[in-house]
């Protein structure tokens, strides 16, 4: 028993070192999944302790490196497009789910996750609509699978389609569900695409506010006040703070490196969380619906990004 524990600790340390040094989102999530497959209980315990904090810290640090001169054009040029994309994605998923007779609460979870920010949106919505734990886990397993595919394949698609750093950042922010997977995919494509990806993804995630208000009113929930992910607010404050004090070029470069390390480790943590999910829980019908919606919205995201 002690030998097995010592070995798992050693492997975890080695994997963590590789993730921090190489800063490769694809390698990070693969190592996280591999560790969870071999040491499921330990991966569950570790992911429970560290949760999504490394990723959130990395995104907030990234906020310190973003200038308002580059952020405001993104907000100005894409606010309408993001709003259209969120509403379009939500209702496409909702209508297809209704058409095939999927459970109502599963439809709402998948629609929220597909439209706004994946697991975060579903975790926020689940208590508001009083969804069962099993329903939430099915939704999380589906979105986790799609996000893993996106981190691995989308950078290759971006390269094949000759997308610029800016275009791929916009594309990944719209086409990928979770914030961590968006930033991870952008980081895998290029260092420069991360800024536009994170900025637009935060703008998309802000749609959680009207979603929380709507579900709170519809289902008479009392959980809304504790639901909104606070790292989004800290990201916005970080952008404002860094622009007020005018950080030096050297400090910004160090912050970018530190941000990448935390984001990479956050992606590794996402891989560890696969130990919480039983992929055998994924039923064909909801998985096919989520995949069909993705197939519909990904080309839309691409057209918006090159517009």
């Amino acid at each position: 028993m002690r030998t097995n524990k010592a070995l798992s600790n050693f492997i975890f340390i080695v994997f963590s070192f590789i993730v921090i040094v190489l800063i490769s989102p694809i390698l990070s999530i693969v190592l996280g999944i591999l560790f969870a497959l071999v040491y499921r209980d330990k991966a569950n315990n570790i992911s429970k302790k560290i949760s999504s904090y490394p990723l959130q810290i990395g995104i907030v640090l990234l906020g310190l490196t973003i200038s308002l001169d580059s952020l405001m054009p993104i907000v100005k040029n894409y606010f309408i497009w993001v709003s259209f994309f969120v509403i379009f994605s939500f209702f496409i998923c909702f209508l297809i789910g209704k058409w095939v007779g999927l459970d109502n609460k599963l439809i709402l979870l998948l629609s929220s996750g597909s439209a706004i920010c994946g697991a975060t949106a579903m975790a926020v919505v689940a208590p508001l609509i009083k969804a069962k734990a099993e329903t939430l886990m099915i939704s999380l397993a589906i979105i986790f699978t799609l996000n893993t595919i996106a981190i691995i394949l989308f950078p290759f698609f971006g390269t094949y389609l000759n997308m610029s750093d800016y275009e791929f950042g916009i594309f990944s922010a719209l086409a990928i569900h979770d914030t961590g997977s968006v930033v991870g995919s952008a980081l895998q494509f290029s260092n420069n695409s991360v800024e536009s990806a994170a900025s637009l993804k935060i703008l998309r995630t802000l749609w959680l506010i009207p979603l929380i208000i709507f579900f709170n009113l519809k289902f008479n929930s009392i959980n809304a006040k504790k639901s909104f992910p606070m790292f989004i607010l800290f990201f916005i404050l970080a952008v404002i703070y860094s622009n007020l004090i005018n950080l030096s070029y050297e400090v910004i470069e160090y912050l970018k490196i530190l941000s990448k390390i935390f984001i990479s480790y956050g992606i590794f943590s996402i891989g560890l969380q696969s130990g919480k999910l039983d992929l055998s829980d994924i039923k064909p019908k909801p998985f096919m619906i989520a995949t069909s919606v993705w197939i519909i919205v990904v080309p839309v995201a691409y057209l918006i990004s090159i517009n």
Side-chain angles (χ1 to χ4, degrees):
M1 182 68 72
R2 288 184 177 179
T3 304
N4 186 51
K5 184 177 181 181
L7 179 61
S8 66
N9 288 336
F10 175 74
I11 293 175
F12 178 75
I13 292 170
V14 171
F15 279 12
S16 297
F17 179 78
I18 293 172
V19 166
I20 291 171
V21 172
L22 297 185
I23 312 181
S24 167
I26 291 178
L27 182 60
S28 296
I29 197 166
V30 168
L31 289 177
I33 292 172
L34 285 176
F35 188 86
L37 285 173
V38 179
Y39 301 106
R40 180 168 184 153
D41 291 339
K42 188 173 184 65
N44 288 343
N45 291 332
I46 294 172
S47 64
K48 186 183 295 184
K49 290 177 182 177
I50 64 178
S51 187
S52 58
Y53 294 126
L55 182 63
Q56 293 178 13
I57 292 170
I59 291 173
V60 172
L61 288 173
L62 181 64
L64 291 171
T65 70
I66 295 177
S67 71
L68 285 174
D69 289 338
S70 62
L71 177 62
M72 293 314 295
I74 294 175
V75 175
K76 179 181 177 182
N77 294 334
Y78 289 97
F79 175 77
I80 299 297
W81 283 116
V82 168
S83 301
F84 162 77
F85 189 85
V86 168
I87 295 170
F88 174 74
S89 301
F90 186 94
F91 281 104
I92 283 291
C93 189
F94 183 82
L95 292 173
I96 294 177
K98 280 287 189 182
W99 180 51
V100 300
L102 208 61
D103 174 74
N104 283 337
K105 291 183 179 180
L106 183 54
I107 293 173
L108 292 176
L109 289 177
L110 290 175
S111 298
S112 301
S114 298
I116 301 177
C117 53
T120 301
M122 293 188 297
V124 167
V125 167
L128 300 181
I129 65 175
K130 301 174 177 63
K132 294 179 181 178
E134 179 187 358
T135 304
L136 176 59
M137 293 307 290
I138 291 172
S139 304
L140 290 173
I142 292 170
I143 294 299
F144 174 83
T145 303
L146 296 180
N147 282 331
T148 303
I149 293 171
I151 291 176
I152 295 173
L153 294 184
F154 277 27
F156 294 106
F157 291 160
T159 301
Y160 177 77
L161 294 170
N162 252 341
M163 299 179 76
S164 67
D165 294 337
Y166 184 83
E167 288 172 346
F168 186 81
I170 300 300
F171 169 70
S172 60
L174 292 174
I176 304 175
H177 305 106
D178 280 307
T179 302
S181 301
V182 167
V183 177
S185 178
L187 183 59
Q188 183 67 31
F189 183 77
S190 74
N191 292 333
N192 294 329
S193 66
V194 176
E195 183 174 317
S196 57
S199 301
L200 195 66
K201 182 57 180 176
I202 293 298
L203 183 62
R204 182 179 167 192
T205 304
L206 288 174
W207 269 87
L208 271 177
I209 297 174
L211 188 73
I212 289 170
I213 294 172
F214 173 75
F215 282 138
N216 188 48
L217 293 173
K218 183 173 178 59
F219 292 91
N220 298 314
S221 174
I222 60 172
N223 298 303
K225 290 183 179 179
K226 299 179 181 180
S227 297
F228 190 76
M230 293 303 295
F231 80 91
I232 295 173
L233 175 61
F234 292 138
F235 172 86
I236 295 171
L237 291 175
V239 173
I240 295 172
Y241 175 76
S242 65
N243 281 268
L244 285 176
I245 65 172
N246 291 320
L247 295 174
S248 67
Y249 173 81
E250 291 78 11
V251 171
I252 289 176
E253 289 303 304
Y254 281 125
L255 285 171
K256 284 182 178 179
I257 294 172
L258 195 58
S259 171
K260 291 174 191 174
I261 291 172
F262 274 101
I263 289 171
S264 186
Y265 203 80
I267 299 296
F268 176 60
S269 302
I270 291 174
L272 292 177
Q273 290 170 19
S274 64
K276 299 177 183 178
L277 305 174
D278 187 351
L279 297 184
S280 65
D281 286 339
I282 300 179
K283 305 296 189 295
K285 187 184 287 186
F287 181 75
M288 290 303 297
I289 290 171
T291 305
S292 298
V293 172
W294 208 32
I295 292 171
I296 292 171
V297 301
V298 164
V300 176
Y302 173 71
L303 290 174
I304 292 174
S305 68
I306 63 173
N307 181 33

